[in-house]
Every structure is written in C-alpha cells, then in structure tokens.
Amino acid sequence: MLRKEQNDYLCQTGPGTPMGDMFRCYWMPALLSEELPENDCPPVRVKLMGERLLAVRDSEGKLGLIDEFCAHRGVSLWFGRNEECGLRCPYHGWKYDVTGQCVDVPSESVESGYAKKIKLKNYPLIEKGGVLWTYMGAPERQPAEPEWEFCNVPLNQTYMSKRLQENNWLQAMEGGIDSSHVSFLHRGDLSNDPLFKGAAGNKYHMSDFKPVFEVVENEGGLLIGARRNAEDDQYYWRITPWVMPCYTGVPPRGDHPIHGHFWVPIDDESCWAWSYDYHPTRPLTEKERAAMADGKGIHVKNIPGTYRPLANKDNDYLIDRAGQKAGRTFSGVEGIGMQDASLQESMGPICDRARENLVSTDNGIIMARHRLLRAARALAEKGVIPPGVDPEHHKVRQAALLLKRDIPYKDGAKEALKAKKGVSQTSV
Amino acid sequence: MQSESARVTTAREAGFRVQYPNSKKRSVKIIALDSGTARVVYDIAREPWNGAVFFTSLSFDAAGSPGDADGTTMHAWLGDLAGRMIELVGEVATADFVVVLASAGADAQSVSVIAEACAAYSKSLLALVVPGKNTSEADIARSLSHLRPYARMLVVASDADYVAAMLTALRA
C-alpha cells in the first residue's frame, strides 16, 4: 500500500509538482510521426503532463510544440492556418513560428517591434523512429536524444501505436511491470494471438501459475525477473526492464518482434499507452505489420481518426460474457491491450493505493514506486538528475531464456539484456 | 462520440492551459499634456504597475513651440513624478509605446512633438481624452481634433478610472 500523500506525490505530474518536475527531465514520446505527416499539415492538439500544447510542422519541415493559445485573446491556435513558415491565428491574424515566437501582428507596424515582445511557451520536438519526442524541462538540462533500440533500427523493422488510457499513468505502468497477470488475464492470447503464439516458452506460462519474482536494480531503473519451473533443472526466466520513469519492455516470445510500452501522463487522470514492436535484425513481415495494425499483440484497434480504443468504457469494452465462459478470453474483453486497460481503468481515474493488499508477485511494483519516490525527492532536494535520463540507460533489452537453476539471472542473462545492433533478441 | 473540440472546451480542460508568460515586459511611457491630466497621473501612478513610467508635464527649450515651422529642431522635456526633467526623445526611444492624456477642452497641440518622436522611432502613440465635470461636446471635439492626426488609438475616457483600466489592459 501507499499512504495518500505518497500516492499523490507519485501520481501528480502537472507543472510544479515533484513528479512533474522529474518527468520533465526526460525526452517523452509526444506524437506519432503520422500525426504531422507533411509540411504545413494541420496542427495537432497535444496535452502532456497537464499542459495544453499544439504540435506543428512548418513549411520547411521544422517541428515545434507550442502553447495552444494565441497570446492576443486566448483563441485556440488549433484553428490556425499553417502556411509560409508559421501558424496564423484566424481571429486577428497573429502569426507564430515553431518556437512560439510571434512573427506578425498585422494591426501593428513591423517597426514597432510589438510582435517581438510576444512569445508563446515552446518545447523542442524531434523525430526519431517514427515518433516525435519532446523535452519539457529546463533548456539548460536538456539531455542527449533518446537511444531506445526500437527507434534506432530501420523504420521497416519497427512499428509504433498509441492509445488513450483513461486513468493515471502509474496504475497503467504498474501493469507493465507486473507480468504475473499474464498467466491469467492473457492466457487465451498466448495460443491465439498471431504475435504471441507458437513460442516454445508459452508452455511454461500454462504449466506454472506461481511465478517467482526477483527484482534487481539496474542503472536506469529495475530488472524484473519472473521465473517459472522448466525441465532439466532449469528455470524459464522472463526479464522485464523498467527504465525510469515510464518505460517497460515485455519479454519476447520466440522470433516474434519485441515489444514494450511508454506510459506518458496526459493529465493526472489519463495517459497515453505507447506500444512498440520491432525486430533487431529483420524487417517486420507484412503479416506482422497487418496484425499490429489490426490491434493484435499489444496494440489495439482505435476509433478511426482518433487514438481512443474502439472498445472503451462507454461501451463496456465490448465485453463478451459468452466468450469468457467458453474460455476464449479470461475476462471477456478481447485483445491484450484492452484486457489490461479495461481492468486498470476500472480502478478509477487515480487508484487508491491505501486500500491495496500486495503480495510477493508485486515486488517489482513496490520497488519501482520506491525508486520513483527516491529519485523525485533527490531531484527536488538536491537537483540530482534521475536514472533513465542518460541515453546509455536506454540500451537495455528484454529477454526470455532458460537458465540452470543455480545461475542468477542477472549474470546468466547479462549479454541478453544489452541492446546490440544486428544481434537478435534472446528468446524462447 | 464527443468531438475533440467539444471535449477540450470544458471548464476542466481550461484548467490545463499553460501558465508561462506569453509576452515580455513592455516599456510604456504615460505623458500628461496638461495640469488636469497631471493630477490623474499623480493618482494612478500610486497603483502597482508593470514598469510603466509616468510624466506629468511636457515643456520645450526656448527655441520654437509646437506648430512653428522650425519646431522639429527644438528640444522637448518631460517632467517626471519627482520633478526631474528628462529629454523626450530618449524616453520615446526606449518605449514600446507611448500614451498621452489630454483633458477635454485643454490645448493638446503639443502632442505633435511627441508624435514626431514616436514616428522617428516607430513607436505607437495612444491618446486618451479625459473629460471633466463640466465638459461639453465641443471641448471633446477640440481635443480630438488635436490628437486624431497622430494617435493610433484614440479614446474618450468616461472618467479617470478608465485611464487606469486601459493601462492595466495594455500591461503597462
């Protein structure tokens, strides 16, 4: 459990909050590249960590993330005309460049310098691996660009999707750390989902429902090892890296693409669940890509033109009780992503952790909360840059492997847990 | 499903507007053109301002007067709240915009000198006519006729309170 003040500390990420300050130390995924597909395309509303912003790609392809509202009378610049290297407010014609600098106030003479006095808040926006990343912290502390393996492989080897999740970021992320639920909630999908089925390791999930968790600290966060009994005096290990503050990797299955998530706060009651898939050594097949686009694996089907899942709380997640009874799904909700999201949203917009009763399999969650609290306090009190900011911390991989029972997984999987260009994942 | 515009225009969503400043501090110079508006300036200058600088008088070197053919060559001086005389040109050069106050019916022709300085430095000149208790329409018309050729914004204030309200709105 957590005391209310601890829970508030971890869950609140708005400007000026300790956890908000910590999130603002990192490059965060802000949009998919497909959301700003071409120069002078329509601007896109973006809310991150409780700040309403607008993403823009100008006539020269320059990217920017600026305050959503015109400095003149507070109109949303989402209605703006994106043309000639600037976004012009349709109300009175004030125009802004991608840095938020006002470059034209038609009612005032250029010589008066009035436009130069107007500047909207802006954040850098960079494109990498099909994702537009932003850094919302102090400019003098801006870290080097992110080095996640999925955004460093060729684009034909990677796939990214995002979906709205209507609850606080932390309870969503804790689902990514807690792999013990897979044996229950996702059991049907291990044998049916085209992006999961067929892996030799799946049988261990179905034969051992009592995984034992071993959590060790890693440079950027934690390694959460879940071991299940296997034949020949071995354990089947599934190792989930968690990199602070909100990256979780899902251990791979066979030669299926590797996947994982970012859980990015929109505000304190909603977050973006980012889901990536990539293969370190080969292009994704058309079949795999089609399956991902169809909401298979960790991806979901969204309402066309939006990033809200088709199955959502307004339609009871399209729950299929007959399917649940027949064992096609364990919860009645289809798809791994929505199986997770439906249960996490059912906890309420912000989970009351004072009422929890945690068990041994929640060790990863307990340690992650502790590290988050510790790092946020160190930042607030001593200015210590938190783990996970250094791009070297991004070069971690998830792994699934069999190890002799007397070998500690951190030693036995040491090389498997490193991202290595041109080297395939370690997987069973 | 609710449209995105419907969703983001709620009171709750308004709470997520960014709170960082969206404009830099302005340098606004407020000049009273006569003794009546000088009293207004003394009053409002006591309020907290965002760097506004107030002047209670405009005077000239001996050579020439406003409207003279050679008026452009003369030196004009502003009197500040402490009674110091400061050269007009220097104050206009460092302003973002200049506001002049004229009492309705008073002679406001000296505005032409301020306007010339504003034009030389590409600064906007705003003018307010402040009516008195017994101001007539003719008084107001006279003041407007003096100010209209130069002011980018010309306002007849309803009373002295309006001056402070307008300066606040302009982030003075």
Side-chain angles (χ1 to χ4, degrees):
Chain A
M1 64 159 281
L2 282 177
R3 294 191 303 275
K4 183 180 183 310
E5 62 271 21
Q6 292 174 314
N7 202 37
D8 291 346
Y9 198 95
L10 288 171
C11 292
Q12 295 171 1
T13 60
T17 60
M19 191 56 62
D21 288 345
M22 196 170 94
F23 262 95
R24 286 166 175 78
C25 290
Y26 300 86
W27 285 100
M28 283 285 143
L31 303 100
L32 290 163
S33 292
E34 69 182 27
E35 294 181 75
L36 292 178
E38 59 190 15
N39 296 355
D40 281 340
C41 60
V44 177
R45 291 183 180 114
V46 177
K47 184 163 67 162
L48 288 176
M49 295 173 248
E51 295 187 43
R52 287 183 62 175
L53 304 161
L54 200 67
V56 187
R57 192 191 290 270
D58 78 5
S59 314
E60 295 173 348
K62 285 187 282 196
L63 294 162
L65 191 61
I66 62 175
D67 180 356
E68 184 189 330
F69 299 97
C70 181
H72 179 206
R73 300 272 307 280
V75 163
S76 174
L77 292 167
W78 178 77
F79 293 96
R81 296 178 61 86
N82 190 9
E83 57 194 11
E84 296 170 342
C85 286
L87 188 64
R88 193 179 287 283
C89 178
Y91 209 5
H92 303 92
W94 290 30
K95 187 176 181 182
Y96 302 89
D97 68 15
V98 294
T99 71
Q101 177 63 55
C102 184
V103 294
D104 188 20
V105 177
S107 64
E108 306 300 308
S109 68
V110 173
E111 295 77 18
S112 74
Y114 188 87
K116 288 180 185 166
K117 291 271 180 179
I118 304 295
K119 169 85 165 61
L120 301 177
K121 180 67 184 171
N122 79 301
Y123 299 111
L125 195 63
I126 60 168
E127 188 165 19
K128 199 163 186 183
V131 175
L132 305 182
W133 304 79
T134 190
Y135 166 76
M136 294 170 64
E140 65 273 14
R141 286 209 310 239
Q142 182 175 315
E145 293 183 5
E147 291 290 347
W148 306 102
E149 189 176 31
F150 72 84
C151 62
N152 278 335
V153 297
L155 283 174
N156 64 358
Q157 292 176 214
T158 190
Y159 181 91
M160 179 65 103
S161 71
K162 73 172 194 181
R163 64 176 165 80
L164 175 68
Q165 185 155 335
E166 297 175 67
N167 58 253
N168 183 263
W169 76 278
L170 186 61
Q171 68 211 55
M173 188 197 74
E174 288 176 348
I177 290 175
D178 154 35
S179 69
S180 69
H181 72 274
V182 175
S183 298
F184 292 91
L185 184 60
H186 305 316
R187 65 170 58 172
D189 298 275
L190 294 182
S191 51
N192 296 329
D193 192 290
L195 296 166
F196 281 19
K197 70 181 182 184
N202 290 353
K203 66 183 177 189
Y204 303 115
H205 277 273
M206 305 315 294
S207 60
D208 184 351
F209 293 122
K210 293 186 187 302
V212 174
F213 281 76
E214 289 183 25
V215 186
V216 293
E217 295 211 356
N218 203 28
E219 282 180 321
L222 298 172
L223 294 171
I224 299 127
R227 85 166 194 243
R228 291 174 172 85
N229 291 318
E231 57 279 282
D232 300 332
D233 195 33
Q234 295 179 107
Y235 288 130
Y236 170 62
W237 284 98
R238 293 183 60 75
I239 305 165
T240 297
W242 168 65
V243 181
M244 290 176 67
C246 61
Y247 168 91
T248 53
V250 180
R253 296 182 187 279
D255 190 48
H256 289 305
I258 313 176
H259 40 252
H261 304 278
F262 286 88
W263 312 93
V264 180
I266 296 172
D267 54 34
D268 293 342
E269 297 183 357
S270 60
C271 64
W272 289 118
W274 288 81
S275 304
Y276 68 76
D277 254 297
Y278 74 102
H279 199 289
T281 59
R282 65 164 173 83
L284 303 182
T285 65
E286 278 184 32
K287 212 171 171 180
E288 285 169 339
R289 206 170 274 282
M292 292 166 195
D294 194 38
K296 298 293 191 285
I298 60 169
H299 307 278
V300 306
K301 266 187 195 169
N302 287 325
I303 296 169
T306 78
Y307 294 97
R308 192 181 192 215
L310 202 57
N312 57 60
K313 63 183 180 182
D314 291 335
N315 55 28
D316 285 330
Y317 307 95
L318 304 173
I319 193 164
D320 173 9
R321 292 294 189 187
Q324 184 182 27
K325 199 158 196 170
R328 288 192 295 275
T329 59
F330 200 67
S331 74
V333 173
E334 192 181 337
I336 288 165
M338 288 319 298
Q339 287 161 3
D340 286 330
S342 56
L343 298 190
Q344 290 157 6
E345 288 182 1
S346 77
M347 295 168 162
I350 301 176
C351 178
D352 178 2
R353 292 180 173 80
R355 295 184 56 77
E356 291 175 331
N357 291 278
L358 300 182
V359 291
S360 59
T361 54
D362 296 315
N363 194 18
I365 290 172
I366 296 166
M367 284 187 70
R369 292 175 186 174
H370 176 69
R371 285 212 73 178
L372 286 167
L373 283 169
R374 195 171 64 189
R377 286 186 183 129
L379 174 68
E381 293 165 11
K382 296 174 187 165
V384 177
I385 299 297
V389 170
D390 184 344
E392 287 302 311
H393 298 172
H394 306 167
K395 298 174 182 173
V396 64
R397 256 190 204 167
Q398 45 273 62
L401 70 172
L402 291 162
L403 288 173
K404 284 290 181 189
R405 295 192 177 193
D406 59 351
I407 298 176
Y409 81 83
K410 200 176 178 188
D411 298 335
K414 190 175 178 182
E415 292 306 308
L417 292 166
K418 291 178 183 168
K420 290 179 187 163
K421 190 176 180 184
V423 176
S424 200
Q425 68 269 41
T426 301
S427 182
V428 177
Chain B
M1 191 180 74
Q2 210 180 24
S3 75
E4 191 185 7
S5 290
R7 188 179 58 74
V8 300
T9 47
T10 60
R12 181 179 182 275
E13 288 298 316
F16 295 112
R17 290 188 174 212
V18 303
Q19 295 302 313
Y20 298 96
N22 58 13
S23 67
K24 296 173 187 163
K25 194 172 171 181
R26 315 246 166 85
S27 174
V28 183
K29 308 293 169 75
I30 298 105
I31 304 168
L33 293 179
D34 52 72
S35 58
T37 51
R39 285 192 293 276
V40 173
V41 163
Y42 278 120
D43 282 346
I44 62 174
R46 286 199 289 266
E47 296 177 22
W49 294 101
N50 188 30
V53 181
F54 295 89
F55 299 98
T56 56
S57 67
L58 173 66
S59 57
F60 305 94
D61 273 351
S65 63
D68 285 356
D70 61 350
T72 54
T73 61
M74 68 189 173
H75 285 182
W77 301 88
L78 297 168
D80 72 6
L81 297 168
R84 292 170 299 202
M85 300 306 285
I86 299 163
E87 194 168 17
L88 168 72
V89 170
E91 289 302 305
V92 170
T94 57
D96 287 304
F97 55 88
V98 175
V99 179
V100 296
L101 307 179
S103 297
D107 184 353
Q109 290 187 81
S110 58
V111 73
S112 64
V113 179
I114 299 171
E116 185 181 353
C118 286
Y121 290 96
S122 300
K123 307 295 181 184
S124 292
L125 177 65
L126 286 53
L128 285 103
V129 178
V130 184
K133 281 183 181 170
N134 303 311
T135 299
S136 66
E137 288 298 319
D139 291 335
I140 292 173
R142 179 164 183 256
S143 297
L144 290 176
S145 70
H146 292 161
L147 299 169
R148 189 172 286 124
Y150 310 110
R152 278 188 55 79
M153 186 167 87
L154 180 55
V155 177
V156 179
S158 51
D159 55 46
D161 284 352
Y162 181 85
V163 178
M166 189 177 127
L167 293 176
T168 301
L170 294 172
R171 293 176 177 265

